[in-house]
Amino acid sequence: IGLCSRALIKIGAAPITSFNDGTAESEIAGNLYDHVRDALLSAYAWSFASGQVALDQLAEAPLADYDYAYALPNDFLRALSAGSGTRGRGLNYRISAGALHTNAPDVVLTYIFRPEEETFPPYFDQALISRLAAEFTIPVTENTSRSETMLSLAEREYMRARQIDAQQDTPNKIEDFTLIKVRD
């Protein structure tokens, strides 16, 4: 509610106290918030929304191509990689019909999950507020030029948030590159 209120204020609309206020703003915010939040979370491998989990094997095997099927976590938004044993990557897999299919008898999934809003870092809050404001602009104000401006601002905030988040991790190294192997 707080994130949506700040987004509404940003476009010159009245803040809301709940998604059931009975106002047009609360109805628009209630209908758009979950989808915009999940889209922004799944658009990048945010450090605060990335996790690993050992998956539970399903009783029914896939029909073709793979030997095993695994249940995805309830908070799953997007797969980043899958591995086996103590590695979180390296497996050949496919996400199909709400399950992960692979030939490995055990799977560790590295994935994007849906964290609680209270755990969003300030840089992500700003990116989400800007994106919400951009999404709310046309339904609330019916102003297309303001909408274009808000979309541009949202894109800049998103890129800034990605840059800040990327600085919290060691850059990935190239582990297997044929040109380097040739030199050895």
Side-chain angles (χ1 to χ4, degrees), residues 10-48:
K10 199 169 194 159
I11 62 171
I16 59 172
T17 56
S18 81
F19 289 138
N20 301 317
D21 281 357
T23 63
E25 290 86 354
S26 66
E27 185 177 333
I28 290 164
N31 284 320
L32 294 177
Y33 176 73
D34 289 340
H35 303 290
V36 172
R37 177 204 56 210
D38 288 354
L40 194 60
L41 283 168
S42 61
Y44 178 71
W46 303 102
S47 60
F48 67 91

PDB file of all heavy atoms in Angstrom, residues 10-48:
ATOM      1  N   LYS A  10       3.490  10.524  -6.813  1.00  0.00           N
ATOM      2  CA  LYS A  10       4.465  10.907  -7.839  1.00  0.00           C
ATOM      3  C   LYS A  10       3.786  11.384  -9.127  1.00  0.00           C
ATOM      4  O   LYS A  10       4.353  12.200  -9.851  1.00  0.00           O
ATOM      5  CB  LYS A  10       5.380   9.704  -8.120  1.00  0.00           C
ATOM      6  CG  LYS A  10       6.659  10.032  -8.774  1.00  0.00           C
ATOM      7  CD  LYS A  10       7.575   8.816  -8.754  1.00  0.00           C
ATOM      8  CE  LYS A  10       8.963   9.266  -9.110  1.00  0.00           C
ATOM      9  NZ  LYS A  10       9.986   8.374  -8.679  1.00  0.00           N
ATOM     10  N   ILE A  11       2.599  10.889  -9.409  1.00  0.00           N
ATOM     11  CA  ILE A  11       1.890  11.313 -10.628  1.00  0.00           C
ATOM     12  C   ILE A  11       0.823  12.372 -10.331  1.00  0.00           C
ATOM     13  O   ILE A  11       0.025  12.716 -11.199  1.00  0.00           O
ATOM     14  CB  ILE A  11       1.273  10.121 -11.393  1.00  0.00           C
ATOM     15  CG1 ILE A  11       0.226   9.387 -10.557  1.00  0.00           C
ATOM     16  CG2 ILE A  11       2.357   9.191 -11.899  1.00  0.00           C
ATOM     17  CD1 ILE A  11      -0.566   8.351 -11.337  1.00  0.00           C
ATOM     18  N   GLY A  12       0.798  12.853  -9.077  1.00  0.00           N
ATOM     19  CA  GLY A  12      -0.130  13.915  -8.725  1.00  0.00           C
ATOM     20  C   GLY A  12      -1.501  13.435  -8.296  1.00  0.00           C
ATOM     21  O   GLY A  12      -2.449  14.213  -8.246  1.00  0.00           O
ATOM     22  N   ALA A  13      -1.625  12.162  -7.962  1.00  0.00           N
ATOM     23  CA  ALA A  13      -2.908  11.608  -7.521  1.00  0.00           C
ATOM     24  C   ALA A  13      -2.926  11.494  -5.993  1.00  0.00           C
ATOM     25  O   ALA A  13      -1.887  11.613  -5.336  1.00  0.00           O
ATOM     26  CB  ALA A  13      -3.134  10.232  -8.153  1.00  0.00           C
ATOM     27  N   ALA A  14      -4.091  11.231  -5.443  1.00  0.00           N
ATOM     28  CA  ALA A  14      -4.243  11.090  -3.993  1.00  0.00           C
ATOM     29  C   ALA A  14      -3.705   9.729  -3.548  1.00  0.00           C
ATOM     30  O   ALA A  14      -3.899   8.723  -4.235  1.00  0.00           O
ATOM     31  CB  ALA A  14      -5.711  11.216  -3.613  1.00  0.00           C
ATOM     32  N   PRO A  15      -3.038   9.672  -2.387  1.00  0.00           N
ATOM     33  CA  PRO A  15      -2.571   8.382  -1.866  1.00  0.00           C
ATOM     34  C   PRO A  15      -3.752   7.524  -1.417  1.00  0.00           C
ATOM     35  O   PRO A  15      -4.862   8.023  -1.249  1.00  0.00           O
ATOM     36  CB  PRO A  15      -1.692   8.775  -0.676  1.00  0.00           C
ATOM     37  CG  PRO A  15      -2.180  10.113  -0.259  1.00  0.00           C
ATOM     38  CD  PRO A  15      -2.709  10.786  -1.500  1.00  0.00           C
ATOM     39  N   ILE A  16      -3.481   6.241  -1.233  1.00  0.00           N
ATOM     40  CA  ILE A  16      -4.522   5.306  -0.789  1.00  0.00           C
ATOM     41  C   ILE A  16      -4.143   4.731   0.573  1.00  0.00           C
ATOM     42  O   ILE A  16      -2.974   4.733   0.948  1.00  0.00           O
ATOM     43  CB  ILE A  16      -4.743   4.167  -1.818  1.00  0.00           C
ATOM     44  CG1 ILE A  16      -3.453   3.371  -2.046  1.00  0.00           C
ATOM     45  CG2 ILE A  16      -5.272   4.725  -3.130  1.00  0.00           C
ATOM     46  CD1 ILE A  16      -3.613   2.125  -2.888  1.00  0.00           C
ATOM     47  N   THR A  17      -5.137   4.219   1.289  1.00  0.00           N
ATOM     48  CA  THR A  17      -4.880   3.574   2.578  1.00  0.00           C
ATOM     49  C   THR A  17      -5.092   2.066   2.495  1.00  0.00           C
ATOM     50  O   THR A  17      -4.690   1.337   3.389  1.00  0.00           O
ATOM     51  CB  THR A  17      -5.780   4.159   3.681  1.00  0.00           C
ATOM     52  OG1 THR A  17      -7.150   4.035   3.279  1.00  0.00           O
ATOM     53  CG2 THR A  17      -5.440   5.618   3.930  1.00  0.00           C
ATOM     54  N   SER A  18      -5.763   1.615   1.434  1.00  0.00           N
ATOM     55  CA  SER A  18      -5.920   0.178   1.192  1.00  0.00           C
ATOM     56  C   SER A  18      -6.313  -0.016  -0.279  1.00  0.00           C
ATOM     57  O   SER A  18      -6.649   0.952  -0.965  1.00  0.00           O
ATOM     58  CB  SER A  18      -6.984  -0.435   2.098  1.00  0.00           C
ATOM     59  OG  SER A  18      -8.281  -0.221   1.595  1.00  0.00           O
ATOM     60  N   PHE A  19      -6.278  -1.251  -0.710  1.00  0.00           N
ATOM     61  CA  PHE A  19      -6.695  -1.543  -2.083  1.00  0.00           C
ATOM     62  C   PHE A  19      -8.220  -1.558  -2.206  1.00  0.00           C
ATOM     63  O   PHE A  19      -8.757  -1.697  -3.293  1.00  0.00           O
ATOM     64  CB  PHE A  19      -6.123  -2.877  -2.558  1.00  0.00           C
ATOM     65  CG  PHE A  19      -4.634  -2.848  -2.799  1.00  0.00           C
ATOM     66  CD1 PHE A  19      -3.843  -3.899  -2.384  1.00  0.00           C
ATOM     67  CD2 PHE A  19      -4.023  -1.778  -3.439  1.00  0.00           C
ATOM     68  CE1 PHE A  19      -2.479  -3.892  -2.612  1.00  0.00           C
ATOM     69  CE2 PHE A  19      -2.657  -1.757  -3.672  1.00  0.00           C
ATOM     70  CZ  PHE A  19      -1.883  -2.806  -3.253  1.00  0.00           C
ATOM     71  N   ASN A  20      -8.919  -1.430  -1.090  1.00  0.00           N
ATOM     72  CA  ASN A  20     -10.379  -1.456  -1.071  1.00  0.00           C
ATOM     73  C   ASN A  20     -10.975  -0.128  -0.622  1.00  0.00           C
ATOM     74  O   ASN A  20     -12.033  -0.098   0.006  1.00  0.00           O
ATOM     75  CB  ASN A  20     -10.877  -2.584  -0.152  1.00  0.00           C
ATOM     76  CG  ASN A  20     -10.377  -3.929  -0.593  1.00  0.00           C
ATOM     77  OD1 ASN A  20     -10.388  -4.237  -1.780  1.00  0.00           O
ATOM     78  ND2 ASN A  20      -9.902  -4.738   0.347  1.00  0.00           N
ATOM     79  N   ASP A  21     -10.302   0.984  -0.917  1.00  0.00           N
ATOM     80  CA  ASP A  21     -10.789   2.310  -0.532  1.00  0.00           C
ATOM     81  C   ASP A  21     -12.088   2.696  -1.230  1.00  0.00           C
ATOM     82  O   ASP A  21     -12.785   3.590  -0.782  1.00  0.00           O
ATOM     83  CB  ASP A  21      -9.757   3.392  -0.884  1.00  0.00           C
ATOM     84  CG  ASP A  21      -8.623   3.472   0.108  1.00  0.00           C
ATOM     85  OD1 ASP A  21      -8.647   2.744   1.109  1.00  0.00           O
ATOM     86  OD2 ASP A  21      -7.705   4.289  -0.133  1.00  0.00           O
ATOM     87  N   GLY A  22     -12.357   2.071  -2.360  1.00  0.00           N
ATOM     88  CA  GLY A  22     -13.515   2.449  -3.149  1.00  0.00           C
ATOM     89  C   GLY A  22     -13.212   3.571  -4.126  1.00  0.00           C
ATOM     90  O   GLY A  22     -14.119   4.078  -4.786  1.00  0.00           O
ATOM     91  N   THR A  23     -11.951   3.954  -4.225  1.00  0.00           N
ATOM     92  CA  THR A  23     -11.556   5.000  -5.170  1.00  0.00           C
ATOM     93  C   THR A  23     -11.006   4.357  -6.439  1.00  0.00           C
ATOM     94  O   THR A  23     -10.603   3.188  -6.438  1.00  0.00           O
ATOM     95  CB  THR A  23     -10.471   5.908  -4.569  1.00  0.00           C
ATOM     96  OG1 THR A  23      -9.297   5.127  -4.325  1.00  0.00           O
ATOM     97  CG2 THR A  23     -10.936   6.561  -3.276  1.00  0.00           C
ATOM     98  N   ALA A  24     -10.975   5.137  -7.509  1.00  0.00           N
ATOM     99  CA  ALA A  24     -10.389   4.640  -8.762  1.00  0.00           C
ATOM    100  C   ALA A  24      -8.917   4.320  -8.564  1.00  0.00           C
ATOM    101  O   ALA A  24      -8.413   3.311  -9.077  1.00  0.00           O
ATOM    102  CB  ALA A  24     -10.564   5.677  -9.868  1.00  0.00           C
ATOM    103  N   GLU A  25      -8.216   5.164  -7.797  1.00  0.00           N
ATOM    104  CA  GLU A  25      -6.782   4.943  -7.546  1.00  0.00           C
ATOM    105  C   GLU A  25      -6.529   3.616  -6.835  1.00  0.00           C
ATOM    106  O   GLU A  25      -5.612   2.885  -7.197  1.00  0.00           O
ATOM    107  CB  GLU A  25      -6.197   6.099  -6.716  1.00  0.00           C
ATOM    108  CG  GLU A  25      -6.095   7.409  -7.450  1.00  0.00           C
ATOM    109  CD  GLU A  25      -7.365   8.249  -7.396  1.00  0.00           C
ATOM    110  OE1 GLU A  25      -8.392   7.772  -6.875  1.00  0.00           O
ATOM    111  OE2 GLU A  25      -7.329   9.380  -7.908  1.00  0.00           O
ATOM    112  N   SER A  26      -7.339   3.307  -5.828  1.00  0.00           N
ATOM    113  CA  SER A  26      -7.130   2.052  -5.083  1.00  0.00           C
ATOM    114  C   SER A  26      -7.458   0.840  -5.948  1.00  0.00           C
ATOM    115  O   SER A  26      -6.784  -0.188  -5.858  1.00  0.00           O
ATOM    116  CB  SER A  26      -7.952   2.036  -3.792  1.00  0.00           C
ATOM    117  OG  SER A  26      -9.338   2.003  -4.055  1.00  0.00           O
ATOM    118  N   GLU A  27      -8.463   0.955  -6.796  1.00  0.00           N
ATOM    119  CA  GLU A  27      -8.813  -0.152  -7.688  1.00  0.00           C
ATOM    120  C   GLU A  27      -7.707  -0.390  -8.716  1.00  0.00           C
ATOM    121  O   GLU A  27      -7.314  -1.531  -8.969  1.00  0.00           O
ATOM    122  CB  GLU A  27     -10.131   0.128  -8.398  1.00  0.00           C
ATOM    123  CG  GLU A  27     -10.607  -1.039  -9.232  1.00  0.00           C
ATOM    124  CD  GLU A  27     -11.958  -0.787  -9.885  1.00  0.00           C
ATOM    125  OE1 GLU A  27     -12.747   0.009  -9.330  1.00  0.00           O
ATOM    126  OE2 GLU A  27     -12.202  -1.386 -10.941  1.00  0.00           O
ATOM    127  N   ILE A  28      -7.189   0.681  -9.297  1.00  0.00           N
ATOM    128  CA  ILE A  28      -6.101   0.568 -10.281  1.00  0.00           C
ATOM    129  C   ILE A  28      -4.863  -0.015  -9.620  1.00  0.00           C
ATOM    130  O   ILE A  28      -4.240  -0.949 -10.142  1.00  0.00           O
ATOM    131  CB  ILE A  28      -5.808   1.953 -10.910  1.00  0.00           C
ATOM    132  CG1 ILE A  28      -6.972   2.350 -11.815  1.00  0.00           C
ATOM    133  CG2 ILE A  28      -4.488   1.947 -11.673  1.00  0.00           C
ATOM    134  CD1 ILE A  28      -6.995   3.819 -12.197  1.00  0.00           C
ATOM    135  N   ALA A  29      -4.489   0.512  -8.447  1.00  0.00           N
ATOM    136  CA  ALA A  29      -3.311   0.016  -7.728  1.00  0.00           C
ATOM    137  C   ALA A  29      -3.477  -1.458  -7.359  1.00  0.00           C
ATOM    138  O   ALA A  29      -2.547  -2.260  -7.528  1.00  0.00           O
ATOM    139  CB  ALA A  29      -3.067   0.857  -6.479  1.00  0.00           C
ATOM    140  N   GLY A  30      -4.651  -1.826  -6.873  1.00  0.00           N
ATOM    141  CA  GLY A  30      -4.903  -3.215  -6.498  1.00  0.00           C
ATOM    142  C   GLY A  30      -4.825  -4.178  -7.669  1.00  0.00           C
ATOM    143  O   GLY A  30      -4.362  -5.307  -7.524  1.00  0.00           O
ATOM    144  N   ASN A  31      -5.268  -3.726  -8.832  1.00  0.00           N
ATOM    145  CA  ASN A  31      -5.231  -4.589 -10.013  1.00  0.00           C
ATOM    146  C   ASN A  31      -3.846  -4.698 -10.644  1.00  0.00           C
ATOM    147  O   ASN A  31      -3.535  -5.706 -11.269  1.00  0.00           O
ATOM    148  CB  ASN A  31      -6.226  -4.090 -11.067  1.00  0.00           C
ATOM    149  CG  ASN A  31      -7.648  -4.439 -10.706  1.00  0.00           C
ATOM    150  OD1 ASN A  31      -7.929  -5.525 -10.214  1.00  0.00           O
ATOM    151  ND2 ASN A  31      -8.558  -3.516 -10.924  1.00  0.00           N
ATOM    152  N   LEU A  32      -3.029  -3.669 -10.514  1.00  0.00           N
ATOM    153  CA  LEU A  32      -1.740  -3.656 -11.199  1.00  0.00           C
ATOM    154  C   LEU A  32      -0.545  -4.029 -10.327  1.00  0.00           C
ATOM    155  O   LEU A  32       0.466  -4.507 -10.835  1.00  0.00           O
ATOM    156  CB  LEU A  32      -1.488  -2.274 -11.820  1.00  0.00           C
ATOM    157  CG  LEU A  32      -2.411  -1.860 -12.957  1.00  0.00           C
ATOM    158  CD1 LEU A  32      -2.091  -0.442 -13.414  1.00  0.00           C
ATOM    159  CD2 LEU A  32      -2.293  -2.834 -14.117  1.00  0.00           C
ATOM    160  N   TYR A  33      -0.618  -3.801  -9.030  1.00  0.00           N
ATOM    161  CA  TYR A  33       0.557  -3.934  -8.169  1.00  0.00           C
ATOM    162  C   TYR A  33       1.266  -5.285  -8.266  1.00  0.00           C
ATOM    163  O   TYR A  33       2.463  -5.340  -8.537  1.00  0.00           O
ATOM    164  CB  TYR A  33       0.213  -3.634  -6.705  1.00  0.00           C
ATOM    165  CG  TYR A  33       1.404  -3.873  -5.812  1.00  0.00           C
ATOM    166  CD1 TYR A  33       2.476  -2.988  -5.821  1.00  0.00           C
ATOM    167  CD2 TYR A  33       1.495  -5.008  -5.008  1.00  0.00           C
ATOM    168  CE1 TYR A  33       3.594  -3.219  -5.042  1.00  0.00           C
ATOM    169  CE2 TYR A  33       2.604  -5.246  -4.231  1.00  0.00           C
ATOM    170  CZ  TYR A  33       3.653  -4.350  -4.251  1.00  0.00           C
ATOM    171  OH  TYR A  33       4.771  -4.589  -3.491  1.00  0.00           O
ATOM    172  N   ASP A  34       0.555  -6.384  -8.020  1.00  0.00           N
ATOM    173  CA  ASP A  34       1.192  -7.711  -7.998  1.00  0.00           C
ATOM    174  C   ASP A  34       1.913  -8.017  -9.303  1.00  0.00           C
ATOM    175  O   ASP A  34       3.036  -8.530  -9.295  1.00  0.00           O
ATOM    176  CB  ASP A  34       0.161  -8.815  -7.727  1.00  0.00           C
ATOM    177  CG  ASP A  34      -0.348  -8.801  -6.299  1.00  0.00           C
ATOM    178  OD1 ASP A  34       0.320  -8.220  -5.418  1.00  0.00           O
ATOM    179  OD2 ASP A  34      -1.428  -9.375  -6.056  1.00  0.00           O
ATOM    180  N   HIS A  35       1.289  -7.695 -10.415  1.00  0.00           N
ATOM    181  CA  HIS A  35       1.878  -8.002 -11.719  1.00  0.00           C
ATOM    182  C   HIS A  35       3.115  -7.154 -12.000  1.00  0.00           C
ATOM    183  O   HIS A  35       4.124  -7.660 -12.503  1.00  0.00           O
ATOM    184  CB  HIS A  35       0.840  -7.822 -12.828  1.00  0.00           C
ATOM    185  CG  HIS A  35      -0.385  -8.659 -12.627  1.00  0.00           C
ATOM    186  ND1 HIS A  35      -0.384 -10.033 -12.748  1.00  0.00           N
ATOM    187  CD2 HIS A  35      -1.643  -8.318 -12.276  1.00  0.00           C
ATOM    188  CE1 HIS A  35      -1.584 -10.501 -12.495  1.00  0.00           C
ATOM    189  NE2 HIS A  35      -2.378  -9.486 -12.204  1.00  0.00           N
ATOM    190  N   VAL A  36       3.055  -5.882 -11.668  1.00  0.00           N
ATOM    191  CA  VAL A  36       4.200  -4.995 -11.886  1.00  0.00           C
ATOM    192  C   VAL A  36       5.362  -5.408 -10.980  1.00  0.00           C
ATOM    193  O   VAL A  36       6.508  -5.487 -11.424  1.00  0.00           O
ATOM    194  CB  VAL A  36       3.806  -3.516 -11.664  1.00  0.00           C
ATOM    195  CG1 VAL A  36       5.027  -2.603 -11.705  1.00  0.00           C
ATOM    196  CG2 VAL A  36       2.784  -3.090 -12.707  1.00  0.00           C
ATOM    197  N   ARG A  37       5.075  -5.698  -9.709  1.00  0.00           N
ATOM    198  CA  ARG A  37       6.112  -6.139  -8.763  1.00  0.00           C
ATOM    199  C   ARG A  37       6.794  -7.409  -9.261  1.00  0.00           C
ATOM    200  O   ARG A  37       8.013  -7.485  -9.330  1.00  0.00           O
ATOM    201  CB  ARG A  37       5.495  -6.387  -7.384  1.00  0.00           C
ATOM    202  CG  ARG A  37       6.502  -6.910  -6.360  1.00  0.00           C
ATOM    203  CD  ARG A  37       5.840  -7.679  -5.230  1.00  0.00           C
ATOM    204  NE  ARG A  37       5.040  -8.760  -5.759  1.00  0.00           N
ATOM    205  CZ  ARG A  37       3.939  -9.239  -5.167  1.00  0.00           C
ATOM    206  NH1 ARG A  37       3.509  -8.718  -4.040  1.00  0.00           N
ATOM    207  NH2 ARG A  37       3.273 -10.234  -5.703  1.00  0.00           N
ATOM    208  N   ASP A  38       6.001  -8.417  -9.635  1.00  0.00           N
ATOM    209  CA  ASP A  38       6.577  -9.688 -10.082  1.00  0.00           C
ATOM    210  C   ASP A  38       7.357  -9.531 -11.382  1.00  0.00           C
ATOM    211  O   ASP A  38       8.400 -10.161 -11.570  1.00  0.00           O
ATOM    212  CB  ASP A  38       5.485 -10.744 -10.243  1.00  0.00           C
ATOM    213  CG  ASP A  38       4.940 -11.223  -8.904  1.00  0.00           C
ATOM    214  OD1 ASP A  38       5.481 -10.828  -7.842  1.00  0.00           O
ATOM    215  OD2 ASP A  38       3.954 -11.983  -8.912  1.00  0.00           O
ATOM    216  N   ALA A  39       6.879  -8.682 -12.283  1.00  0.00           N
ATOM    217  CA  ALA A  39       7.599  -8.452 -13.540  1.00  0.00           C
ATOM    218  C   ALA A  39       8.942  -7.798 -13.270  1.00  0.00           C
ATOM    219  O   ALA A  39       9.960  -8.188 -13.866  1.00  0.00           O
ATOM    220  CB  ALA A  39       6.761  -7.592 -14.484  1.00  0.00           C
ATOM    221  N   LEU A  40       8.986  -6.831 -12.375  1.00  0.00           N
ATOM    222  CA  LEU A  40      10.247  -6.161 -12.065  1.00  0.00           C
ATOM    223  C   LEU A  40      11.196  -7.095 -11.322  1.00  0.00           C
ATOM    224  O   LEU A  40      12.398  -7.109 -11.598  1.00  0.00           O
ATOM    225  CB  LEU A  40       9.987  -4.893 -11.250  1.00  0.00           C
ATOM    226  CG  LEU A  40      11.152  -3.921 -11.121  1.00  0.00           C
ATOM    227  CD1 LEU A  40      11.606  -3.422 -12.488  1.00  0.00           C
ATOM    228  CD2 LEU A  40      10.775  -2.749 -10.236  1.00  0.00           C
ATOM    229  N   LEU A  41      10.681  -7.882 -10.404  1.00  0.00           N
ATOM    230  CA  LEU A  41      11.524  -8.850  -9.690  1.00  0.00           C
ATOM    231  C   LEU A  41      12.127  -9.880 -10.645  1.00  0.00           C
ATOM    232  O   LEU A  41      13.298 -10.226 -10.536  1.00  0.00           O
ATOM    233  CB  LEU A  41      10.720  -9.571  -8.599  1.00  0.00           C
ATOM    234  CG  LEU A  41      10.466  -8.797  -7.324  1.00  0.00           C
ATOM    235  CD1 LEU A  41       9.419  -9.507  -6.479  1.00  0.00           C
ATOM    236  CD2 LEU A  41      11.755  -8.604  -6.533  1.00  0.00           C
ATOM    237  N   SER A  42      11.333 -10.368 -11.578  1.00  0.00           N
ATOM    238  CA  SER A  42      11.819 -11.429 -12.462  1.00  0.00           C
ATOM    239  C   SER A  42      12.646 -10.917 -13.639  1.00  0.00           C
ATOM    240  O   SER A  42      13.266 -11.700 -14.343  1.00  0.00           O
ATOM    241  CB  SER A  42      10.659 -12.286 -12.963  1.00  0.00           C
ATOM    242  OG  SER A  42       9.755 -11.512 -13.700  1.00  0.00           O
ATOM    243  N   ALA A  43      12.708  -9.610 -13.822  1.00  0.00           N
ATOM    244  CA  ALA A  43      13.445  -9.037 -14.953  1.00  0.00           C
ATOM    245  C   ALA A  43      14.955  -9.071 -14.763  1.00  0.00           C
ATOM    246  O   ALA A  43      15.703  -8.905 -15.725  1.00  0.00           O
ATOM    247  CB  ALA A  43      12.996  -7.598 -15.194  1.00  0.00           C
ATOM    248  N   TYR A  44      15.437  -9.304 -13.550  1.00  0.00           N
ATOM    249  CA  TYR A  44      16.870  -9.260 -13.253  1.00  0.00           C
ATOM    250  C   TYR A  44      17.143 -10.172 -12.060  1.00  0.00           C
ATOM    251  O   TYR A  44      16.277 -10.368 -11.212  1.00  0.00           O
ATOM    252  CB  TYR A  44      17.276  -7.811 -12.949  1.00  0.00           C
ATOM    253  CG  TYR A  44      18.718  -7.634 -12.583  1.00  0.00           C
ATOM    254  CD1 TYR A  44      19.720  -7.769 -13.541  1.00  0.00           C
ATOM    255  CD2 TYR A  44      19.093  -7.330 -11.288  1.00  0.00           C
ATOM    256  CE1 TYR A  44      21.052  -7.605 -13.207  1.00  0.00           C
ATOM    257  CE2 TYR A  44      20.416  -7.157 -10.942  1.00  0.00           C
ATOM    258  CZ  TYR A  44      21.396  -7.291 -11.908  1.00  0.00           C
ATOM    259  OH  TYR A  44      22.719  -7.145 -11.577  1.00  0.00           O
ATOM    260  N   ALA A  45      18.340 -10.690 -11.953  1.00  0.00           N
ATOM    261  CA  ALA A  45      18.712 -11.575 -10.843  1.00  0.00           C
ATOM    262  C   ALA A  45      19.110 -10.744  -9.623  1.00  0.00           C
ATOM    263  O   ALA A  45      20.281 -10.666  -9.253  1.00  0.00           O
ATOM    264  CB  ALA A  45      19.842 -12.499 -11.270  1.00  0.00           C
ATOM    265  N   TRP A  46      18.123 -10.107  -8.997  1.00  0.00           N
ATOM    266  CA  TRP A  46      18.377  -9.260  -7.831  1.00  0.00           C
ATOM    267  C   TRP A  46      18.994 -10.074  -6.711  1.00  0.00           C
ATOM    268  O   TRP A  46      18.527 -11.181  -6.414  1.00  0.00           O
ATOM    269  CB  TRP A  46      17.078  -8.629  -7.343  1.00  0.00           C
ATOM    270  CG  TRP A  46      16.359  -7.833  -8.372  1.00  0.00           C
ATOM    271  CD1 TRP A  46      15.270  -8.228  -9.092  1.00  0.00           C
ATOM    272  CD2 TRP A  46      16.678  -6.513  -8.832  1.00  0.00           C
ATOM    273  NE1 TRP A  46      14.885  -7.235  -9.959  1.00  0.00           N
ATOM    274  CE2 TRP A  46      15.742  -6.167  -9.825  1.00  0.00           C
ATOM    275  CE3 TRP A  46      17.664  -5.590  -8.497  1.00  0.00           C
ATOM    276  CZ2 TRP A  46      15.756  -4.946 -10.478  1.00  0.00           C
ATOM    277  CZ3 TRP A  46      17.683  -4.365  -9.141  1.00  0.00           C
ATOM    278  CH2 TRP A  46      16.741  -4.056 -10.113  1.00  0.00           C
ATOM    279  N   SER A  47      19.996  -9.535  -6.045  1.00  0.00           N
ATOM    280  CA  SER A  47      20.672 -10.263  -4.965  1.00  0.00           C
ATOM    281  C   SER A  47      19.724 -10.550  -3.794  1.00  0.00           C
ATOM    282  O   SER A  47      19.801 -11.615  -3.182  1.00  0.00           O
ATOM    283  CB  SER A  47      21.890  -9.484  -4.471  1.00  0.00           C
ATOM    284  OG  SER A  47      21.516  -8.207  -3.982  1.00  0.00           O
ATOM    285  N   PHE A  48      18.821  -9.632  -3.488  1.00  0.00           N
ATOM    286  CA  PHE A  48      17.907  -9.807  -2.361  1.00  0.00           C
ATOM    287  C   PHE A  48      16.744 -10.750  -2.680  1.00  0.00           C
ATOM    288  O   PHE A  48      16.011 -11.153  -1.784  1.00  0.00           O
ATOM    289  CB  PHE A  48      17.354  -8.448  -1.902  1.00  0.00           C
ATOM    290  CG  PHE A  48      16.465  -7.793  -2.912  1.00  0.00           C
ATOM    291  CD1 PHE A  48      15.102  -8.003  -2.894  1.00  0.00           C
ATOM    292  CD2 PHE A  48      17.003  -6.991  -3.905  1.00  0.00           C
ATOM    293  CE1 PHE A  48      14.287  -7.414  -3.838  1.00  0.00           C
ATOM    294  CE2 PHE A  48      16.199  -6.385  -4.850  1.00  0.00           C
ATOM    295  CZ  PHE A  48      14.843  -6.597  -4.821  1.00  0.00           C
TER     296      PHE A  48
END
